[in-house]
Amino acid sequence: MTTTPPPPLLRVRDLTVTFPGRRRGSAPVRAVDGIGFDVAAGETLGLVGESGCGKSTTGRTIVRLLEPTAGSVAFDGREIGRLPQRALKPLRRDLQMVFQDPHSSLNPRQTVARIISDPLLTQGGSAAAARKRAVELMELVGLIPEHIDRYPHEFSGGQAQRIGIARALATSPRLVVADEPVSALDVSVQAQIVNLMERLQRELGLAYLFIAHDLSVVKRVCDRVAVMYLGRIVEIGAKERVYTAPAHPYTRALLSAVPLPDPAAERSRERITLLGDPPSPAAPPPGCTFHPRCPKAQAVCRTEAPPLRVAVAGEPREVACHFPEAG
C-alpha cells in the first residue's frame, strides 16, 4: 500500500515578476520568468545563481514585499499571491524573512527589545508578553538578554544578524526566507550563523528557503538546490546529485568555481570559464537564455527554450537543457 506524500508547505508555480523599464518607452525587465518549486515542511531549499539572476526578487515576492506579475504562490495549500494586505496579516505569523545586511534591516532608532517585539505587537500582542518573548529569543539566538535595551549600532555584524533572526522567529513561523543571510559577514562569523540556523531548524522544525551565491554554504545547509539563471530555474534536485553530477552546463560552471580544500585536487581539476556577462533581463536572447555563454550550444539552443524536465528517469531532478550531462 502506497502512502500519498503530504502537500508541500510552499508551492510556487509559474511565478513571474516584471518591472517597468528605467526610461520611458524602454523594455520591461522580467526579473523572474515563470519559475516553480516546492518546499516541504522542515526542508531547506537552496536558491543559487549569479547576482542579478532573480533570487532575491523571488524571496521578496513569496513574502509579498513585492507583488507578483503572474503565477501562483500557495502556502499550506492556500493561495497567497493575490491576497489583500489585510488578509496577509495573520499569514505573516507563519511566513517570515531574514535579510542580507543585518544593520540596514534593523531600525537604528529602536532598541533591540522593540525590534524583536514589533512582529508580536503588530499581531495584537501585549507589550509585556512581547518583551518577555524578546528576552527568550535573545537567549535562543545566543545573545545576552541584559543587552535587550541597547541599539543596533552597539552590536557587531554577526550579533546584528542574530537580532534579525530573533525578530523573524518572534511569531513562531513555519517557513523562513533567508536572503543571503551570511554574505555580509566575516567568514568566521558566517559559520556561527549557519550553525545557529541549523540548530534552530532542528529545535523548531523550521523550513528554509535559503537564498545564496556561496555554493559551499548551500551545500552545508540545504536538502535540495535550485539553480537560477536570468530569472529561470535551470536545474533543481537533491543536493547530493546536483553537486556530484550536475546536469546543466551553467551548474557545472558554478561548481567548478568553488574552491576545494585539497590543494592538489584544486590544481588538477577542470575550471570552466563562461564567456561574457549574463544578458540583460530587459533583452534576453531567444531560445535558451544561456546559449550565448554555453560551450555546448547548438542550433536548437538559439531558437527553442528548453523546458524544465526530468534529467534522468527515476531521479527526482529536473534540468532545462537540450543536451544535459548524463549523471
Side-chain angles (χ1 to χ4, degrees), residues 21-22 27 40 51 73 79 82 86 94 109 121 129 143 152 155 164-165 183 192 199 202 220 232 236 240 251 269 292:
R22 293 185 177 181
S51 296
V73 178
E79 174 60 42
R82 299 295 177 185
R86 179 176 297 180
D94 291 324
R109 298 176 180 269
L121 297 174
L143 294 173
F155 294 86
I165 294 172
S183 65
Q192 297 173 15
R199 175 173 65 81
R202 292 192 301 269
R220 161 81 181 273
R232 300 178 182 176
I236 183 170
E240 292 78 10
T251 309
R269 72 168 175 168

Side-chain angles (χ1 to χ4, degrees), residues 106-127:
L106 304 178
N107 190 332
R109 298 176 180 269
Q110 292 183 350
T111 64
V112 172
R114 179 55 192 261
I115 289 171
I116 299 177
S117 301
D118 200 48
L120 291 171
L121 297 174
T122 302
Q123 294 288 340
S126 69

